[in-house]
Amino acid sequence: MARITHERDKLSFTEKLVRLGARLRDPEWRRYGFVMASGKLLGVATLFGMMILIPLLLNGSSARADVPPANPPAALAVATSAAAPAPAPAPAPAPPAVAAKDVINPLNTVWTLIAAFLVFAMQVGFVMLEAGFCRSRETVNVLVECVFDTCLCGILFWAFGYAFMFSEGNGFIGTHWFFLKGAPATYGATGVAILAHWLFQFAFADTCSTITSGAMIGRTDFIGDILYSFAVSGFIYPIIGHWAWGPDGFLATMGSAGKFLPSLGMNFHDFAGSTVVHTIGGAVALAGAVVLGPRLGRKFKRDGGGPMTPHDLTIAVCGGLLLWFGWYGFNPGSTLSAMDFEGIGRVAANTTLAACAAGLTAVFYIYARTGKWDPGSITNGFLAGLVAITAPCYWVSPFGSVLIGAVAGVIVILGVDLLEYLRIDDPIGAVPVHMMNGIWGTLSLGLFASGQYSAIGSDPIAPDLSSKLTGLFYGGGTKVLAAQAIGSAIVTVSTLAVSFAVMYAIDAAGLLRLHEDAEHDGLDLHEHGISAYPEYVISALASPAGAPLRVPAHQESAAGSRSALSPSL
């Protein structure tokens, strides 16, 4: 290329003209030259156009009708001078004053919506966690059940769940805003748009319902799933939740004059839902697991067996990490205020530290017992820490968060041991993670509240620092601890009583548990007609221990020579 360039440079001017003439006689060269010339002309025209238009756009005020030309015609100038002096131009109107709420309320609404999106994304984590910890023959059932729960919860929470929980009524239930009719533009004193608040709380309600399904995997009739989900999302969660989070709930106003237990002088606190979301969801899960009984072939440790093997720990652990990420909407978002930047930062940091401490204590505790670094234990460990810190996250210090998480990591392992001893089959550990650590987290506020922050939670404009929460370990006595214990006990006992009644009622109708043949075939094939892994022969480990491996009756003709193999369970 360098040689060709050098030879071209040595051509004389005459030779260059001759070569140009020869090329112009070539149609291809003429077309090429036309395109090149047109492009260059277009570029030059565009450049000149921008040079003319940009100053006009930047100084376009001179063309406005309300601004006189800089040099009026001479006749106009003479006429103007002969006439009476023109009045002085009126001063330009001052820009309208912007109230603080006109800026703060939109920002808080956007912050609440972002948090709602994060909390809703936790459904992906729940689906992956449950699908990974279940057996392969139940994966499709988990997928459909979780998505169905979400859709059903959205309709129910719009129709009456939100009204029961967050509208005014009495100490036990809200009585307004059904189908969101008559709801105000913003929710209470928060200034957050009511529909943004509805979306945020719908994501919480969906979380509660999904917690329940984790303990009932592998043996629940899909009609039974629908019925208990209807009860949880439509009634149990919103009505009991109203007691603690409603504007006039009897636990939220407890300790006030004329209210429940006025002599206590302290109300119940649950910043983001250790009790309202996790204890309620875990208690319903416990009732469901007890009424259902264990999966076929499940042998407990005291009977010489142990938990059934998860079919995909990669999915399970990734699902747990997605839940951790979503928790940054769950806890910091519960401030409902982007203005409370210190509170948001504190809550996010406390959430992180509790999860880290709980994951470490859980996996080290299991290693001390078994000599193995167990992935399921560290995953449920950090989830337990997240559940525990959810109630006290606004009012405790980072050091307190580490201690709360460290205890949660041990509680979740001991909780699994307790269920194993009681022969209660909970495939993903929903009861130890959510109910047991929801109770622990609620009580921990009465121990670790540092006495530095407003008792009413997030109030970025004028925080009431004269009223602070101070726990037992910080010299506050037992008042906060007593209020937390009373509230937690009332919610837990009430939820268990109602949940057992609902589960036994569904079971009495024959709709809660699948019949034995269907459970042998597997929920995926029996309930949904498809395997999650149709291209693979699933290991015999996916079949109930001791159950004969056989192709379901409706697939025997298609199985052919493969009838001796284990079916896609």
Side-chain angles (χ1 to χ4, degrees):
M1 183 67 184
R3 185 177 62 84
I4 294 173
T5 303
H6 178 68
E7 291 178 354
R8 184 187 62 189
D9 292 340
K10 292 192 300 182
L11 292 175
S12 66
F13 178 74
T14 303
E15 290 171 331
K16 289 180 180 180
L17 287 177
V18 172
R19 186 182 64 178
L20 177 61
R23 287 180 174 177
L24 289 176
R25 288 192 295 272
D26 185 350
E28 290 295 329
W29 270 100
R30 287 200 302 272
R31 187 162 43 249
Y32 171 77
F34 176 77
V35 172
M36 289 289 293
S38 299
K40 292 179 182 294
L41 289 174
L42 182 61
V44 171
T46 302
L47 179 63
F48 276 102
M50 293 175 63
M51 293 171 64
I52 295 171
L53 288 176
I54 289 177
L56 289 177
L57 293 174
L58 293 177
N59 302 299
S61 59
S62 61
R64 291 182 304 181
D66 57 340
V67 179
N71 298 308
L76 178 61
V78 172
T80 302
S81 62
V98 178
K101 66 177 183 179
D102 296 334
V103 176
I104 293 174
N105 290 354
L107 285 175
N108 288 346
T109 297
V110 171
W111 166 245
T112 302
L113 285 173
I114 292 172
F117 304 152
L118 283 171
V119 178
F120 183 80
M122 292 174 71
Q123 291 304 313
V124 181
F126 276 118
V127 170
M128 294 176 68
L129 185 77
E130 293 185 18
F133 275 127
C134 76
R135 296 170 295 179
S136 56
R137 65 207 300 269
E138 301 149 2
T139 307
V140 174
N141 182 254
V142 168
L143 304 180
V144 177
E145 192 274 336
C146 287
V147 175
F148 190 97
D149 266 4
T150 296
C151 298
L152 179 63
C153 179
I155 298 300
L156 295 177
F157 210 64
W158 161 72
F160 46 81
Y162 185 76
F164 287 156
M165 191 166 185
F166 290 102
S167 74
E168 292 185 352
N170 53 56
F172 291 92
I173 190 171
T175 56
H176 301 84
W177 307 347
F178 296 103
F179 300 95
L180 295 177
K181 291 184 177 180
T186 58
Y187 180 70
T190 66
V192 173
I194 195 78
L195 292 181
H197 187 258
W198 173 86
L199 183 66
F200 184 63
Q201 295 301 335
F202 150 68
F204 274 56
D206 194 20
T207 297
C208 182
S209 179
T210 307
I211 290 169
T212 301
S213 65
M216 302 173 67
I217 290 173
R219 69 269 203 209
T220 308
D221 189 299
F222 195 75
I223 298 299
D225 274 326
I226 296 173
L227 292 176
Y228 80 69
S229 295
F230 185 90
V232 174
S233 298
F235 298 95
I236 296 175
Y237 171 74
I239 292 175
I240 296 179
H242 178 86
W243 303 352
W245 281 357
D248 50 3
F250 75 92
L251 293 178
T253 59
M254 180 174 66
S256 302
K259 302 296 183 179
F260 180 58
L261 296 180
S263 61
L264 188 62
M266 177 60 62
N267 64 311
F268 176 72
H269 289 81
D270 184 6
F271 187 76
S274 287
T275 292
V276 174
V277 178
H278 297 284
T279 300
I280 291 178
V284 180
L286 177 60
V290 169
V291 176
L292 274 172
R295 290 167 288 176
L296 291 179
R298 175 72 158 93
K299 290 183 68 176
F300 296 92
K301 287 184 179 179
R302 61 190 298 196
D303 302 317
M308 290 179 169
T309 306
H311 94 277
D312 194 333
L313 281 171
T314 302
I315 291 179
V317 175
C318 289
L321 290 171
L322 274 173
L323 287 172
W324 187 340
F325 176 70
W327 236 283
Y328 291 120
F330 212 96
N331 288 0
S334 292
T335 61
L336 299 179
S337 173
M339 300 295 102
D340 189 7
F341 59 94
E342 291 185 2
I344 292 171
R346 181 173 64 254
V347 170
N350 289 344
T351 299
T352 303
L353 291 171
C356 293
L360 292 176
T361 55
V363 75
F364 278 120
Y365 185 39
I366 283 294
Y367 182 79
R369 288 169 41 174
T370 66
K372 305 297 181 184
W373 304 98
D374 182 58
S377 297
I378 195 171
T379 301
N380 271 346
F382 71 69
L383 290 174
L386 292 166
V387 169
I389 199 60
T390 296
C393 57
Y394 192 87
W395 296 288
V396 299
S397 67
F399 179 71
S401 299
V402 171
L403 295 180
I404 292 169
V407 174
V410 176
I411 288 176
V412 71
I413 303 301
L414 296 178
V416 170
D417 291 343
L418 177 61
L419 294 185
E420 192 75 15
Y421 180 80
L422 297 174
R423 298 191 178 96
I424 297 173
D425 187 10
D426 180 359
I428 71 166
V431 176
V433 170
H434 296 280
M435 190 188 86
M436 296 181 184
N437 275 290
I439 294 171
W440 158 240
T442 302
L443 296 178
S444 71
L445 176 63
L447 302 174
F448 291 98
S450 63
Q452 298 173 274
Y453 311 111
S454 169
I456 62 173
S458 178
D459 188 355
I461 305 302
D464 181 15
L465 297 181
S466 64
S467 175
K468 303 175 183 179
L469 286 185
T470 308
L472 179 63
F473 295 162
Y474 288 79
T478 60
K479 184 166 65 173
V480 176
L481 181 60
Q484 295 302 101
I486 291 170
S488 179
I490 289 174
V491 170
T492 304
V493 172
S494 300
T495 304
L496 285 172
V498 175
S499 300
F500 271 109
V502 169
M503 295 297 179
Y504 275 121
I506 299 173
D507 188 53
L511 299 173
L512 188 63
R513 179 156 188 163
L514 284 173
H515 54 83
E516 187 171 324
D517 286 343
E519 193 171 339
H520 274 299
D521 293 345
L523 272 72
D524 290 357
L525 294 178
H526 183 272
E527 294 284 78
H528 309 287
I530 188 173
S531 168
Y533 309 98
E535 298 178 355
Y536 302 94
V537 175
I538 304 303
S539 166
L541 291 174
S543 180
L549 295 180
R550 58 187 180 83
V551 176
H554 66 278
Q555 290 198 343
E556 286 181 354
S557 60
S561 61
R562 294 186 296 111
S563 60
L565 300 175
S566 61
S568 297
L569 296 175

